[in-house]
Amino acid sequence: MKKTVVFLLALCLLLCGCDSLFDGSYSHEEPHTNQGGQLPQNNIIASNYDSLCKSLTSLIESGTQSSIISVPNYDQSTIYTDFTKAIQQVRTTNPIAAWAVDDIQWETGSSGGQLSVAVTISYLHDRAEIRKVHRVSDAGSANTIIAGVLNDCSADVQILIPNYEPVDFQQFVENYFNTHPQSVMELPQVVVNIFPETGADRLLELKFTYQNSRDDLRAMQMQVRTVFESAALYVSSYSKESEKFEQLYAFLMEFLVEGNYELETSITPAYSLLRHGVGDKKAFANVYAAMCREAGLDCRVVTGTRDGESWVWNLVCIDGVYRHLDLLRCSQQSGYQSYPDNEMDGYVWDYSAYPAAE
């Protein structure tokens, strides 16, 4: 019975929060409250300023709300200066802290006969969100993560990048959208936030806003994916590259009810073109190029002008030789036909940006 009473008393002390864990008087630096009933973590020892910073960093990166840090080598006056400085340093240099932490409160006291600090951390992003942060080795790996998020139609992503160098991630999103019309149905509005503002290691946060819901986008994605799979199957029996290019053109035009289409720009270019026959010249060129790439063919998208009007068309590689292919010109004239550079009358493009077409 006596042991039971002692156990219940100890349990009550734990549930009262950090104050009850101190066995003597304490110095109040900031108001201290225990969040969410989470019990403080013990056995953290910081013997100098660097270990103070490391202890705080560890608590934050694990999403810990409250803990006690023993500081046996400090006296009351020194710990105040160093702990205040450590909080400032961690919050302004650590990417997770700069992104996730809302406030850090603390107070000094005695625990186990040693000077200790009770720490309470409030967060803008909770432990579950912190665990979802992707840690990569470089910006190239970050692009791979972003591509996956775009394919999944997700609303945001956080990526921790060491030795960060400025990258135009918004341009990457637009480029990926243009080259993967079978996967990304709508070009989202992109907001990029970087934490902290300076430093070698940075946390990149991208937020994506779509006009269509995620469910609608994924439904469109499935329908477009089916068409692309049908296109690949349609040309699988042909062995020559020239035949595959021509048959993919035929597939696309037949799919549009023998070339019956409406030239308009849509926020869901691939879906609108393949499901409703509505698309602009860029949608035609991007969809055709993606179909060709899935069939193992080298097909590029050329941006320029045609008769003074902004225009987009394709550049196909047939047995190592490049040729220009304007799908809309073909549909309006005599069907599938490719051209060398010197027969592209009325077209203007940056010759240095693309292979020469013979």
Side-chain angles (χ1 to χ4, degrees), residues 75-117:
D75 59 35
Q76 195 75 29
S77 59
T78 306
I79 189 60
Y80 179 84
T81 301
D82 277 13
F83 207 82
T84 302
K85 181 180 177 183
I87 290 174
Q88 177 67 17
Q89 177 173 326
V90 171
R91 293 196 65 180
T92 56
T93 61
N94 179 268
I96 297 292
W99 170 70
V101 172
D102 181 35
D103 188 30
I104 299 178
Q105 300 177 358
W106 62 284
E107 60 190 14
T108 59
S110 175
S111 178
Q114 293 182 333
L115 180 64
S116 300
V117 181

Side-chain angles (χ1 to χ4, degrees), residues 19-206:
D19 293 348
S20 60
L21 291 178
F22 288 141
D23 53 16
S25 62
Y26 58 86
S27 173
H28 186 78
E29 308 297 352
E30 294 286 347
H32 173 67
T33 57
N34 197 350
Q35 298 186 34
Q38 182 179 356
L39 296 178
Q41 293 187 359
N42 298 310
N43 303 322
I44 300 178
I45 300 175
S47 57
N48 53 43
Y49 177 76
D50 287 340
S51 58
L52 273 181
C53 293
K54 290 179 181 178
S55 297
L56 281 172
T57 298
S58 178
L59 292 173
I60 291 168
E61 292 188 350
S62 65
T64 300
Q65 292 179 322
S66 57
S67 182
I68 292 178
I69 303 175
S70 296
V71 285
N73 293 348
Y74 280 92
D75 59 35
Q76 195 75 29
S77 59
T78 306
I79 189 60
Y80 179 84
T81 301
D82 277 13
F83 207 82
T84 302
K85 181 180 177 183
I87 290 174
Q88 177 67 17
Q89 177 173 326
V90 171
R91 293 196 65 180
T92 56
T93 61
N94 179 268
I96 297 292
W99 170 70
V101 172
D102 181 35
D103 188 30
I104 299 178
Q105 300 177 358
W106 62 284
E107 60 190 14
T108 59
S110 175
S111 178
Q114 293 182 333
L115 180 64
S116 300
V117 181
V119 184
T120 299
I121 307 171
S122 57
Y123 292 90
L124 299 169
H125 304 280
D126 61 23
R127 176 178 294 184
E129 293 175 288
I130 292 173
R131 288 176 176 174
K132 290 181 180 179
V133 173
H134 298 272
R135 298 173 183 265
V136 300
S137 57
D138 51 38
S141 300
N143 287 340
T144 301
I145 298 295
I146 295 170
V149 172
L150 292 171
N151 292 342
D152 194 48
C153 311
S154 296
D156 59 63
V157 64
Q158 295 78 35
I159 307 171
L160 184 58
I161 308 176
N163 301 314
Y164 173 81
E165 294 183 1
V167 175
D168 191 345
F169 287 103
Q170 290 181 320
Q171 186 62 56
F172 171 79
V173 171
E174 183 174 349
N175 292 344
Y176 190 83
F177 166 75
N178 289 330
T179 56
H180 295 79
Q182 73 276 39
S183 302
V184 187
M185 297 298 99
E186 178 186 338
L187 177 64
Q189 292 184 349
V190 184
V191 175
V192 181
N193 298 310
I194 300 176
F195 304 88
E197 295 182 357
T198 60
D201 299 343
R202 314 285 277 278
L203 187 144
L204 173 74
E205 179 181 61
L206 278 78

Side-chain angles (χ1 to χ4, degrees), residues 10 14 21 40 57 96 103 114 153 185 208 221 228 238 260 276 283 286 290 292 294 309 318 345:
L14 282 174
L21 291 178
T57 298
I96 297 292
D103 188 30
Q114 293 182 333
C153 311
M185 297 298 99
F208 306 112
Q221 192 180 58
F228 269 76
Y238 294 92
N260 183 20
H276 303 295
N286 285 340
C292 290
E294 291 216 350
E309 178 186 354
I318 305 172
D345 296 334

Side-chain angles (χ1 to χ4, degrees), residues 223-243:
Q223 295 180 60
V224 169
R225 184 72 256 171
T226 299
V227 177
F228 269 76
E229 291 172 354
S230 299
L233 182 62
Y234 186 79
V235 299
S236 61
S237 61
Y238 294 92
S239 58
K240 294 182 179 180
E241 290 183 338
S242 58
E243 293 175 330

